[in-house]
Amino acid sequence: MSVFTHLVAQLGRLLEPVLAESATAAAIVLFTVLVRLALHPLSRAAFRGATPMAGCLPMLLQLPVFFVMYQAFSSAEVGGAANELLGHRLFAAPLGGRWTDALGEGGVFGAPGLVFLGLFAAIAVVAAWSAARGRRAAAAAPPVPVALPVGAAKGAAVKGAAAKYGAKGNAGAKGNAGAKGNAGAKGKGNAHAKAGAKASASVAASGLPQVTAEQQAMMRKLGGVLPLLSFGTLITAAVVPLAAGLYLLTTTAWTVAERVWLQHRKERQGDAAQRSSP
């Protein structure tokens, strides 16, 4: 933790001529950006997976960093010496202070309270942006092929063929050609059964994901709930030190912006591949 404290303090000193007492807050944002840049290759690999849980690994790897950030702005001493970070502020609010402390110093609209309100508003905007994009992505996702046993596919094909060509056979019977119509229905029904079985086998051999209808329904529900989890960051920011809240805001905004950029890049590559194909 002392290494982290030293790094943030050094970054704050570099920014102090420009940002004065808010330099340490800016150093926390810069530190968060450096962490996310280091994790970007993992985020890009997770995005290629195109699963609802894409990005979980980068999030898990950030937990130790967040824990260190929390401890650095909650402990009065670091390595046996006074914690110099606790004396720094973001405007009127100390970086080690919590929202409950701000409420006790001036209420919701006091000077420290307004800083926390600004933080909450920024987190809410990012969360709403994330939720809106998540819902659009879930609605635009192509349906996953549903696995059907070969016997079921064959039975469905036979039933459909019998219904289709049985009607033609009846019409043929009225024109004194019923035997021929029934023979045609039987032959074409067998052909459709073979085609249905062949299509089912080709889907299985193609390596495409095959799920049941119940699993598809569960995936749709999960895709609608996951974007709403972004608003849980608001609850966390209300109980952790202000410095940790800044970290949460920065990393959440980075995550959303990163996915927007990766999606845009993927679409551009797809368009380029379509133009180059004959």
Coordinates of all heavy atoms in Angstrom, one line a residue, residues 5-46:
T5 N 0.6 4.6 -2.3 CA 0.6 6.0 -1.7 C 1.6 6.8 -2.3 O 1.4 8.0 -2.6 CB 0.7 5.9 -0.2 OG1 -0.3 5.0 0.3 CG2 0.6 7.2 0.5
H6 N 2.8 6.3 -2.4 CA 4.0 7.1 -2.9 C 3.7 7.5 -4.4 O 4.0 8.6 -4.8 CB 5.2 6.3 -2.8 CG 6.4 6.9 -3.4 ND1 7.0 8.0 -2.8 CD2 7.2 6.7 -4.5 CE1 8.1 8.4 -3.5 NE2 8.2 7.7 -4.6
L7 N 3.1 6.5 -5.2 CA 2.9 6.8 -6.6 C 1.8 7.9 -6.8 O 2.0 8.8 -7.6 CB 2.4 5.5 -7.3 CG 2.0 5.6 -8.8 CD1 3.2 6.1 -9.6 CD2 1.6 4.3 -9.3
V8 N 0.7 7.8 -6.0 CA -0.3 8.8 -6.1 C 0.2 10.1 -5.7 O -0.1 11.2 -6.2 CB -1.6 8.3 -5.3 CG1 -2.6 9.5 -5.3 CG2 -2.2 7.1 -6.0
A9 N 1.0 10.1 -4.6 CA 1.5 11.4 -4.1 C 2.5 12.1 -5.1 O 2.4 13.3 -5.3 CB 2.3 11.1 -2.8
Q10 N 3.3 11.3 -5.8 CA 4.2 11.8 -6.8 C 3.4 12.4 -8.0 O 3.7 13.4 -8.5 CB 5.1 10.7 -7.3 CG 6.2 10.3 -6.3 CD 7.1 11.5 -5.9 OE1 7.4 12.3 -6.7 NE2 7.5 11.5 -4.6
L11 N 2.3 11.6 -8.4 CA 1.5 12.1 -9.5 C 0.8 13.4 -9.1 O 0.7 14.4 -9.9 CB 0.5 11.1 -9.9 CG 1.0 9.8 -10.6 CD1 -0.2 8.8 -10.8 CD2 1.6 10.2 -12.0
G12 N 0.4 13.5 -7.8 CA -0.3 14.7 -7.3 C 0.7 15.9 -7.3 O 0.3 17.0 -7.7
R13 N 1.9 15.7 -7.0 CA 2.9 16.8 -7.0 C 3.2 17.3 -8.4 O 3.4 18.5 -8.6 CB 4.2 16.3 -6.4 CG 4.1 16.0 -4.9 CD 5.5 15.8 -4.2 NE 5.3 15.4 -2.8 CZ 5.4 14.2 -2.4 NH1 5.6 13.2 -3.3 NH2 5.3 13.9 -1.1
L14 N 3.2 16.4 -9.4 CA 3.4 16.8 -10.8 C 2.2 17.7 -11.3 O 2.4 18.6 -12.1 CB 3.5 15.6 -11.7 CG 4.8 14.7 -11.5 CD1 4.7 13.5 -12.4 CD2 6.0 15.6 -11.8
L15 N 1.0 17.4 -10.8 CA -0.2 18.1 -11.2 C -0.5 19.3 -10.4 O -1.4 20.1 -10.8 CB -1.4 17.1 -11.3 CG -1.3 15.9 -12.2 CD1 -2.5 15.0 -12.0 CD2 -1.2 16.4 -13.7
E16 N 0.1 19.4 -9.3 CA -0.2 20.5 -8.3 C -0.1 21.9 -8.9 O -0.9 22.8 -8.6 CB 0.7 20.4 -7.1 CG 0.2 21.3 -5.9 CD 1.0 21.0 -4.6 OE1 1.8 20.1 -4.6 OE2 0.7 21.7 -3.6
P17 N 1.0 22.2 -9.7 CA 1.0 23.6 -10.3 C -0.2 24.0 -11.1 O -0.5 25.2 -11.2 CB 2.3 23.5 -11.1 CG 3.1 22.4 -10.5 CD 2.1 21.4 -10.1
V18 N -0.9 23.0 -11.6 CA -2.0 23.3 -12.5 C -3.3 23.2 -11.7 O -4.2 24.1 -11.9 CB -2.1 22.4 -13.7 CG1 -3.3 22.7 -14.6 CG2 -0.8 22.5 -14.5
L19 N -3.5 22.2 -10.9 CA -4.8 21.9 -10.2 C -4.8 22.2 -8.8 O -5.8 22.0 -8.1 CB -5.1 20.4 -10.4 CG -5.2 20.0 -11.9 CD1 -5.4 18.5 -12.0 CD2 -6.4 20.7 -12.6
A20 N -3.7 22.7 -8.2 CA -3.7 23.2 -6.8 C -4.1 22.1 -5.9 O -3.6 20.9 -5.9 CB -4.5 24.4 -6.6
E21 N -5.1 22.3 -5.0 CA -5.5 21.3 -4.0 C -6.2 20.1 -4.5 O -6.3 19.1 -3.8 CB -6.3 22.0 -2.9 CG -7.6 22.5 -3.4 CD -8.5 23.1 -2.3 OE1 -8.0 23.3 -1.2 OE2 -9.7 23.5 -2.6
S22 N -6.7 20.2 -5.7 CA -7.4 19.1 -6.4 C -6.4 18.2 -7.2 O -6.9 17.3 -7.9 CB -8.5 19.6 -7.3 OG -9.5 20.3 -6.5
A23 N -5.1 18.4 -7.0 CA -4.2 17.7 -7.8 C -4.2 16.2 -7.5 O -4.0 15.3 -8.4 CB -2.8 18.3 -7.6
T24 N -4.3 15.8 -6.2 CA -4.3 14.4 -5.8 C -5.6 13.7 -6.4 O -5.5 12.5 -6.8 CB -4.3 14.3 -4.3 OG1 -3.1 15.0 -3.8 CG2 -4.3 12.8 -3.9
A25 N -6.7 14.4 -6.4 CA -7.9 13.8 -7.0 C -7.7 13.5 -8.5 O -8.0 12.5 -9.0 CB -9.1 14.7 -6.9
A26 N -7.0 14.5 -9.2 CA -6.7 14.2 -10.6 C -5.7 13.1 -10.7 O -5.7 12.3 -11.7 CB -6.1 15.5 -11.2
A27 N -4.7 13.0 -9.8 CA -3.8 11.9 -9.8 C -4.5 10.5 -9.7 O -4.0 9.5 -10.3 CB -2.7 12.1 -8.7
I28 N -5.5 10.4 -8.9 CA -6.3 9.2 -8.7 C -6.9 8.8 -10.1 O -6.9 7.7 -10.5 CB -7.4 9.3 -7.6 CG1 -6.7 9.5 -6.3 CG2 -8.3 8.2 -7.6 CD1 -7.6 9.8 -5.2
V29 N -7.5 9.8 -10.7 CA -8.1 9.6 -12.1 C -7.0 9.1 -13.0 O -7.2 8.1 -13.8 CB -8.8 10.8 -12.6 CG1 -9.3 10.6 -14.0 CG2 -9.9 11.2 -11.7
L30 N -5.9 9.7 -13.0 CA -4.8 9.3 -13.9 C -4.3 7.9 -13.6 O -4.0 7.1 -14.5 CB -3.6 10.3 -13.8 CG -2.4 10.1 -14.7 CD1 -2.8 10.0 -16.2 CD2 -1.3 11.2 -14.4
F31 N -4.2 7.6 -12.3 CA -3.8 6.3 -11.9 C -4.8 5.2 -12.4 O -4.4 4.2 -12.9 CB -3.6 6.2 -10.4 CG -3.3 4.9 -9.8 CD1 -2.1 4.3 -9.9 CD2 -4.4 4.1 -9.3 CE1 -1.8 3.1 -9.4 CE2 -4.1 2.8 -8.8 CZ -2.8 2.3 -8.8
T32 N -6.0 5.5 -12.3 CA -7.1 4.6 -12.8 C -7.0 4.4 -14.3 O -7.1 3.2 -14.7 CB -8.5 5.1 -12.4 OG1 -8.5 5.5 -11.0 CG2 -9.5 4.1 -12.7
V33 N -6.7 5.4 -15.0 CA -6.5 5.3 -16.5 C -5.3 4.4 -16.8 O -5.4 3.6 -17.7 CB -6.4 6.7 -17.1 CG1 -6.0 6.6 -18.6 CG2 -7.7 7.5 -17.0
L34 N -4.2 4.6 -16.0 CA -3.1 3.7 -16.3 C -3.4 2.2 -16.0 O -2.9 1.4 -16.7 CB -1.9 4.2 -15.4 CG -1.3 5.6 -15.7 CD1 -0.3 6.0 -14.7 CD2 -0.8 5.6 -17.1
V35 N -4.2 2.0 -14.9 CA -4.6 0.6 -14.6 C -5.4 0.0 -15.8 O -5.2 -1.1 -16.2 CB -5.3 0.5 -13.3 CG1 -5.9 -0.8 -13.1 CG2 -4.4 0.9 -12.1
R36 N -6.4 0.8 -16.3 CA -7.2 0.3 -17.3 C -6.5 0.1 -18.6 O -6.8 -0.8 -19.4 CB -8.4 1.2 -17.5 CG -9.4 1.3 -16.3 CD -9.8 -0.1 -15.9 NE -10.3 -0.9 -16.9 CZ -11.6 -1.0 -17.2 NH1 -12.5 -0.4 -16.5 NH2 -12.0 -1.8 -18.2
L37 N -5.5 1.0 -18.9 CA -4.7 0.8 -20.1 C -3.9 -0.5 -20.0 O -3.8 -1.3 -21.0 CB -3.7 1.9 -20.2 CG -4.2 3.2 -20.8 CD1 -3.2 4.3 -20.8 CD2 -4.7 3.0 -22.3
A38 N -3.4 -0.9 -18.8 CA -2.7 -2.1 -18.6 C -3.6 -3.3 -18.8 O -3.2 -4.4 -19.3 CB -2.1 -2.2 -17.3
L39 N -4.9 -3.2 -18.5 CA -5.9 -4.3 -18.6 C -6.6 -4.3 -20.0 O -7.4 -5.2 -20.2 CB -6.9 -4.2 -17.5 CG -6.4 -4.3 -16.1 CD1 -7.6 -4.1 -15.1 CD2 -5.9 -5.7 -15.9
H40 N -6.3 -3.3 -20.8 CA -7.0 -3.2 -22.1 C -6.9 -4.5 -22.9 O -7.9 -4.9 -23.6 CB -6.5 -2.0 -22.9 CG -7.2 -1.9 -24.2 ND1 -8.5 -1.6 -24.4 CD2 -6.7 -2.1 -25.5 CE1 -8.8 -1.6 -25.7 NE2 -7.7 -1.9 -26.4
P41 N -5.7 -5.1 -23.0 CA -5.6 -6.4 -23.8 C -6.6 -7.4 -23.4 O -7.2 -8.2 -24.2 CB -4.2 -6.8 -23.7 CG -3.4 -5.6 -23.4 CD -4.4 -4.7 -22.6
L42 N -6.8 -7.6 -22.0 CA -7.7 -8.5 -21.5 C -9.2 -8.1 -21.8 O -10.0 -9.0 -22.2 CB -7.6 -8.7 -20.0 CG -6.3 -9.4 -19.5 CD1 -6.2 -9.3 -18.0 CD2 -6.2 -10.8 -20.0
S43 N -9.5 -6.8 -21.8 CA -10.8 -6.4 -22.1 C -11.1 -6.6 -23.6 O -12.2 -7.0 -23.9 CB -10.9 -4.9 -21.8 OG -10.7 -4.6 -20.4
R44 N -10.1 -6.4 -24.4 CA -10.4 -6.7 -25.8 C -10.6 -8.1 -26.1 O -11.5 -8.5 -26.9 CB -9.1 -6.2 -26.6 CG -9.3 -6.2 -28.1 CD -8.2 -5.4 -28.8 NE -6.9 -5.9 -28.3 CZ -5.7 -5.3 -28.5 NH1 -5.7 -4.1 -29.2 NH2 -4.6 -5.9 -28.1
A45 N -9.8 -9.0 -25.4 CA -10.0 -10.4 -25.6 C -11.4 -10.9 -25.1 O -12.1 -11.7 -25.7 CB -8.9 -11.2 -24.9
A46 N -11.8 -10.3 -24.0 CA -13.2 -10.6 -23.4 C -14.3 -10.2 -24.3 O -15.3 -10.8 -24.5 CB -13.3 -10.0 -22.0

